[in-house]
Amino acid sequence: QVQLVESGGGLVQPGGSLRLSCAASGRTLSNYVMGWFRQAPGKEREFVAAISRSGTVTQYADSVKGRFTISRNNVENTGYLQMNSLQPEDTAVYYCAAGDFMLRTQRSYNYWGQGTQVSVSS
């Protein structure tokens, strides 16, 4: 079992930045692929980014490519999502997840955090 806890969300103006963290406990995070998903009000949860166990391979949704950066620190058992140039359409609850396969589907991930709210508004 892996327990995941997100932090770092908040309210930011358009064009601003936030850095989300995902702290893992239980099993070693390096055993798993990590992903970030988000869910906006009235919409389905969608893939944002994923990173391989070693951190050498990353994937991004087209909507965030070039603005968001996923990373991980396996020594600290923590994952990160750096979000720059935030726009109102990025407003959502952001979830980190851990799983065995580096795919863009939710069912590929076995463990989920509780989510952290990101709101982008002037």
Side-chain angles (χ1 to χ4, degrees), residues 9-78:
L11 174 64
V12 64
Q13 292 186 343
S17 298
L18 282 174
R19 188 194 196 200
L20 305 183
S21 298
C22 176
S25 60
R27 289 188 174 181
T28 303
L29 191 60
S30 60
N31 291 333
Y32 302 96
V33 168
M34 284 192 63
W36 286 92
F37 290 75
R38 66 185 182 186
Q39 187 167 18
K43 295 187 177 181
E44 293 186 354
R45 193 173 299 186
E46 65 176 1
F47 170 80
V48 174
I51 189 167
S52 62
R53 290 171 177 80
S54 65
T56 56
V57 180
T58 57
Q59 292 180 357
Y60 296 94
D62 288 343
S63 58
V64 306
K65 198 174 295 183
R67 300 188 297 124
F68 291 10
T69 302
I70 189 172
S71 62
R72 65 191 299 164
N73 185 323
N74 287 337
V75 173
E76 296 183 352
N77 237 22
T78 303

Side-chain angles (χ1 to χ4, degrees), residues 4 14 88:
L4 303 173

